[in-house]
Amino acid sequence: MKKLLNTLYVTTPDTYLSLDGENIVVLRDAETLLRVPLLNLEAVVTFGYTGASPALMGACAERGIALTFMTASGHFLADVAGDRQGNVLLRRTQYRVADDESASVKIARNMIAAKLHNSRWVIERAVRDHELRIDAARVQAAARAIANAIPPAREAESPGVLRGVEGEAAQRYFSVFDEMILQNKSDFYFKSRSRRPPMDNLNALLSFAYSLLANDCAAALCGVGLDPYVGFLHRDRPGRKSLALDLTEELRAVFADRFVLTLVNNRKIDASAFKTQESGAVLLKDEARREFLAAWQARKRETITHPYLSEKIEWGLVPHAQSLLLARHLRGDLDEYPPFLWK
């Protein structure tokens, strides 16, 4: 359980939320795990299926406290919000910003600058940890090129320019991605990014990880009242969660890529986990997908000190923290959106 920016996150399994006077009480097997005054809360997010009492749901609605229910794996289920929650006003602001190119690019360029920063440090860490096993000079050259792209990204005045800067930096990042694969290179190698469908084992892992991360980001955005389908860099397309994809960009390298590389380099997965379809598409088998999901959930329970908030939180709460910060920026509480900068 974690209280962050006046939001209570209940991540402990098999807990039930109830009301006791003016307090929210977190129970497990009739034992009180936590008691928090409602006065101090703006929102409650609970992960699991046990639920909450009708009295608590009513109290949250009356006080304008958003009560959001997620599955244990982080998928959005439903929420309870009162008239004073302000989600309609927040979303109307989001739509106005998305329709204003100059306003939307100010948020998008922070996200992309963070993506470049994080990508750079992922490959810098590979040099630090495995200098004798990789082409360190080539990897460092890519890191410098990505670092040089950060100022143009921060100064981009249009989405087109920003996409160009991001695209060139992504090419440099993926040009050395294969260097970071240290084990079983006959089965796991990286030549280029292939999507829809992935055409080799490593791209199958990356695609699945990116999909999970995007779903986590979409759930987090829903939890704070934002529309995950209306983005600032990724434009509107039927069925595409554009804002979730925007948020995914800054977390892609530090969460999804490092997770996949850890699985491969620690030999947690091998070629037997994959199946190849007649089209050439490579997919995870059902059992391997379940093992991947279990490892993903374990990774989300690991803790990190959030670079902006300076608080220890679980990795799985990072999308929620970033969604809260984005919502606060759109409400005018923060002058600009503070992206996630890892090192």
Side-chain angles (χ1 to χ4, degrees):
M1 287 169 285
K2 179 69 177 177
K3 188 167 175 285
L4 183 68
L5 295 176
N6 294 326
T7 296
L8 175 65
Y9 291 94
V10 183
T11 57
T12 306
D14 303 323
T15 53
Y16 183 77
L17 308 184
S18 68
L19 182 69
D20 182 10
E22 291 295 311
N23 300 290
I24 181 172
V25 181
V26 181
L27 301 167
R28 184 171 62 185
D29 297 331
E31 177 188 358
T32 299
L33 301 181
L34 184 70
R35 180 184 295 266
V36 180
L38 291 173
L39 179 65
N40 298 334
L41 294 175
E42 293 179 2
V44 179
V45 181
T46 180
F47 296 79
Y49 295 102
T50 307
S53 70
L56 177 63
M57 288 189 278
C60 287
E62 289 174 1
R63 292 162 174 78
I65 300 171
L67 176 58
T68 302
F69 298 93
M70 304 275 187
T71 67
S73 60
H75 292 278
F76 178 83
L77 286 174
D79 60 14
V80 178
D83 290 339
R84 291 178 289 169
Q85 175 60 20
N87 286 352
V88 171
L89 297 178
L90 176 62
R91 292 196 185 207
R92 283 177 64 86
T93 300
Q94 176 189 354
Y95 300 149
R96 285 195 294 269
V97 171
D99 287 338
D100 184 335
E101 184 175 286
S102 63
S104 61
V105 78
K106 290 178 181 178
I107 298 174
R109 66 192 183 191
N110 280 12
M111 292 175 167
I112 295 303
K115 175 184 180 178
L116 303 186
H117 170 95
N118 294 334
S119 299
R120 172 200 175 186
W121 284 112
V122 167
I123 58 179
E124 287 273 13
R125 180 165 288 195
V127 174
R128 186 196 70 183
D129 294 343
H130 308 290
E131 184 174 4
L132 299 180
R133 302 181 64 183
I134 65 177
D135 187 342
R138 182 166 169 262
V139 174
Q140 287 174 328
R144 287 193 297 271
I146 295 171
N148 291 336
I150 294 175
R154 291 190 183 278
E155 297 165 5
E157 296 293 337
S158 71
V161 170
L162 185 58
R163 291 189 190 99
V165 173
E166 185 273 335
E168 291 181 12
Q171 287 182 344
R172 296 304 301 265
Y173 174 73
F174 281 120
S175 73
V176 297
F177 198 86
D178 192 66
E179 294 285 343
M180 295 186 283
I181 304 169
L182 306 175
Q183 302 288 345
N184 203 0
K185 295 290 287 258
S186 60
D187 294 324
F188 296 98
Y189 51 83
F190 187 87
K191 295 180 179 178
S192 63
R193 182 78 180 104
S194 58
R195 302 172 291 176
R196 295 186 294 271
M199 303 301 288
D200 57 59
N201 294 346
L202 195 77
N203 271 293
L205 293 175
L206 289 174
S207 290
F208 192 38
Y210 293 163
S211 177
L212 292 175
L213 181 57
N215 285 335
D216 287 346
C217 289
L221 291 164
C222 287
V224 301
L226 289 167
D227 186 340
Y229 289 90
V230 178
F232 303 123
L233 181 63
H234 291 83
R235 305 318 296 169
D236 295 352
R237 183 183 298 174
R240 182 168 76 175
K241 298 176 181 178
S242 296
L243 186 58
L245 294 178
D246 287 352
L247 188 58
T248 298
E249 292 294 347
E250 61 190 81
L251 303 176
R252 191 186 298 265
V254 293
F255 197 101
D257 292 355
R258 292 185 71 235
F259 173 77
V260 167
L261 289 169
T262 298
L263 283 185
V264 172
N265 290 336
N266 289 346
R267 295 184 178 272
K268 299 294 185 182
I269 195 165
D270 58 33
S272 66
F274 302 88
K275 58 185 177 182
T276 303
Q277 298 182 325
E278 291 184 5
S279 64
V282 178
L283 303 174
L284 279 166
K285 295 178 181 177
D286 290 343
E287 180 60 30
R289 187 180 295 110
R290 286 191 288 270
E291 293 175 358
F292 188 103
L293 288 168
W296 180 265
Q297 290 303 112
R299 175 74 169 118
K300 286 165 62 175
R301 289 192 292 271
E302 295 177 10
T303 59
I304 183 176
T305 300
H306 192 282
Y308 179 80
L309 300 173
S310 298
E311 291 189 40
K312 278 196 172 185
I313 63 172
E314 295 178 353
W315 263 110
L317 293 183
V318 171
H320 295 268
Q322 295 308 122
S323 298
L324 279 169
L325 292 170
L326 178 58
R328 291 201 164 192
H329 167 61
L330 291 172
R331 289 191 178 104
D333 297 333
L334 296 172
D335 291 338
E336 62 178 330
Y337 166 66
F340 184 80
L341 300 173
W342 175 84
K343 184 176 178 180

